[in-house]
Amino acid sequence: MPGQGVAPTLLYRLYSVVTGALGPLAWRSVHRKLDAAGVAPERQRERLGRATLPRPEGRLIWFHAASVGESLSVLTLITRLGAVLPKAEFLITSGTPTSAELVAKRLPPRTQHQFVPLDTGAAVTRFYDHWRPQAGIFVESELWPRMLVEAHQRGIKLALLNARLSQKSVQGWQRFPGTARFILDCFTLFLTQNRQTADNLIAMGADPGRVRPGSNLKATSAPLPVDEATRDTLTKAIGDRPVWVASSTHKGEEEQVLQAHKRLLITHPDLLLLLVPRHPERGDEVQRLVKDAGLSCARRSAQEQITGQTQVYMADTLGETGTWYALCKLVFLGGSLLEIGGHNPFEPAQAGAAVVTGPGYFNFAETYAQMKQDGGAREVQDADSLADAVADWLDNAEHFNNARQAASAYVATQQNALEGVIDGLCQELALNDPAAVN
């Protein structure tokens, strides 16, 4: 059984005291951010562990995902798990307003969303007293010590799913091996994205018998939704013009993307760029960058139309990325020209797109390594090499089609892993056991 013989460390006790003392400050900071995002006051108090929904009867399985990507990656899993466990109810927690908004639009049957409580004693206790989950499944790498320890003390079985850890995080935990082992011992099961993460968890103190290397859960997610009316309208407006997408770009990347686009316009004067900032609230800032680059821009949030003179169409909206991938199959994926970690390449690949990435994709290192080897993705270093990669796929249909096929084939091989994930969770967390209902 997890946790036997592993006592709380001095560092954990200190963490509990400090987080308790700083709880009011943390709440004020969180409150300001949620208030600025327009989150209703009663929902803000979910961060204090105050539920805004009743607990459903019977078995409740809880998933915690830090933000947008992690939250969306578990929706397909919950849908499939719900089919295997037809009497189970599900709870998703996350910490950001964006994740709450997107998840609310795509909730599977018998699933509710709440904001995750702050990692303070009072908030965590309120949360568990109300929800009483049978099992807790943490997605990727967000580990809150107080939440994990109290769950274990209450007999809630925990799994870390799709686990990934940066080398910096691993080194940080290894400085405190006793505390790392104490926290990791709360988990019954670790399902990692790759062998390297599995080895890192074991090196940090995880029980090797509970660690299983696997595949990336994001490969098994349902394709992003497509607004067919929007796609058809924009397809008509674009006509036979060539087009490419720069998706999920961050501050400091748009300048390089626009520089690449200006170079491409020399040889492809009617080329259109669909520019999709990762954070739509940066729309005004990005529009100024487009103007400073001497390019014409139509902005989706302002309902501006694409004309023959439009060189950049800025899609500064939320939840429409699937439509852009359906519209164009040549995708540069941002968060990668800088050391940001990259974004999910499975989403464009599921839509049949070939992918270009910068070098800073460490969060998806193993995925991109295989996709590049198979020919479904290309790595670029700067604006010039980005322009070269896009130009090659624009000018060489055979290269481009081969890349698209390779990307789609890679995703298909990864999607077969979902049944294994479900079997592992059901077995190790006793999800099929009626006697385990809290």
Side-chain angles (χ1 to χ4, degrees):
M1 176 181 174
Q4 287 185 331
V6 182
T9 63
L10 178 61
L11 181 60
Y12 172 74
R13 295 182 187 279
L14 179 62
Y15 170 86
S16 299
V17 171
V18 170
T19 53
L22 296 181
L25 290 176
W27 163 243
R28 281 199 286 271
S29 175
V30 165
H31 166 68
R32 283 196 300 269
K33 292 178 181 178
L34 294 178
D35 208 42
V39 176
E42 60 272 17
R43 290 223 61 191
Q44 293 180 29
R45 288 191 286 273
E46 293 170 11
R47 296 302 310 267
L48 297 174
R50 300 187 186 280
T52 56
L53 295 170
R55 186 200 188 280
E57 295 294 326
R59 181 185 296 115
L60 180 69
I61 301 170
W62 163 45
F63 285 81
H64 173 63
S67 57
V68 175
E70 293 81 4
S71 299
L72 295 180
S73 73
V74 302
L75 296 180
T76 300
L77 173 58
I78 291 175
T79 300
R80 299 279 286 275
L81 194 57
V84 174
L85 304 170
K87 295 184 178 181
E89 300 283 340
F90 300 92
L91 172 69
I92 300 178
T93 58
S94 63
T96 67
T98 302
S99 64
E101 181 179 346
L102 290 179
V103 166
K105 296 176 181 177
R106 301 174 61 184
L107 280 176
R110 310 191 309 276
T111 304
Q112 303 177 93
H113 175 273
Q114 297 275 276
F115 286 109
V116 67
L118 296 171
D119 202 37
T120 64
V124 168
T125 296
R126 288 190 200 103
F127 176 83
Y128 285 131
D129 283 349
H130 178 81
W131 291 105
R132 306 186 314 280
Q134 174 193 347
I137 301 165
F138 284 66
V139 183
E140 296 206 3
S141 58
E142 184 160 284
L143 305 180
W144 293 105
R146 195 79 176 249
M147 187 179 298
L148 297 175
V149 171
E150 183 157 344
H152 171 65
Q153 291 172 343
R154 290 172 178 248
I156 301 168
K157 291 179 176 290
L158 299 177
L160 182 59
L161 179 61
N162 215 40
R164 64 174 173 84
L165 295 165
S166 68
Q167 200 57 41
K168 182 178 180 181
S169 178
V170 173
Q171 292 169 352
W173 278 105
Q174 286 179 324
R175 292 171 53 203
F176 308 101
T179 300
R181 185 184 170 214
F182 171 66
I183 297 299
L184 294 176
D185 216 51
C186 294
F187 287 100
T188 298
L189 177 66
F190 302 88
L191 288 173
T192 71
Q193 292 186 13
N194 51 52
R195 181 72 253 179
Q196 181 62 54
T197 301
D199 292 341
N200 284 339
L201 284 167
I202 293 170
M204 287 164 55
D207 182 342
R210 304 179 205 159
V211 180
R212 299 183 187 178
S215 60
N216 195 317
L217 181 65
K218 290 178 179 177
T220 68
S221 300
L224 294 175
V226 175
D227 184 326
E228 295 183 1
T230 297
R231 180 198 60 193
D232 293 346
T233 298
L234 292 179
T235 298
K236 184 177 180 180
I238 294 168
D240 58 0
R241 295 176 61 182
V243 59
W244 67 295
V245 177
S247 180
S248 292
T249 57
H250 287 250
K251 184 179 180 65
E253 291 188 307
E254 286 92 4
E255 293 91 338
Q256 297 185 68
V257 169
L258 294 170
Q259 183 180 338
H261 189 56
K262 289 185 69 174
R263 180 179 158 187
L264 286 162
L265 286 169
I266 297 172
T267 52
H268 303 79
D270 58 345
L271 180 64
L272 177 67
L273 167 64
L274 298 185
L275 182 56
V276 189
R278 179 69 175 181
H279 302 105
E281 63 270 19
R282 294 184 55 241
D284 290 342
E285 172 191 346
V286 176
Q287 186 175 34
R288 286 193 294 270
L289 293 174
V290 176
K291 181 179 179 181
D292 291 345
L295 298 169
S296 60
C297 179
R299 190 167 169 181
R300 178 152 180 79
S301 66
Q303 298 184 329
E304 296 170 349
Q305 304 302 309
I306 296 174
T307 70
Q309 287 69 50
T310 304
Q311 295 168 311
V312 178
Y313 184 65
M314 184 171 60
D316 55 336
T317 52
L318 189 64
E320 294 192 298
T321 305
T323 301
W324 314 138
Y325 293 160
L327 189 66
C328 175
K329 306 304 182 183
L330 199 168
V331 176
F332 164 73
L333 202 52
S336 61
L337 285 172
L338 304 175
E339 285 297 310
I340 294 171
H343 292 296
N344 183 359
F346 297 112
E347 291 176 345
Q350 282 177 321
V355 181
V356 183
T357 179
Y361 53 76
F362 53 82
N363 285 338
F364 296 90
E366 187 159 298
T367 299
Y368 271 117
Q370 189 62 53
M371 286 185 71
K372 289 192 299 178
Q373 180 177 319
D374 294 347
R378 286 188 176 185
E379 181 179 337
V380 300
Q381 304 299 317
D382 51 28
D384 287 339
S385 54
L386 173 58
D388 289 340
V390 173
D392 179 58
W393 279 346
L394 288 173
D395 296 335
N396 193 319
E398 182 179 1
H399 287 182
F400 182 47
N401 289 333
N402 288 343
R404 290 180 57 194
Q405 292 171 11
S408 296
Y410 177 70
V411 171
T413 63
Q414 296 295 301
Q415 288 179 331
N416 295 330
L418 186 57
E419 294 306 321
V421 171
I422 291 173
D423 290 345
L425 291 174
C426 287
Q427 178 179 347
E428 299 300 329
L429 303 185
L431 301 184
N432 286 307
D433 182 5
V437 176
N438 289 335

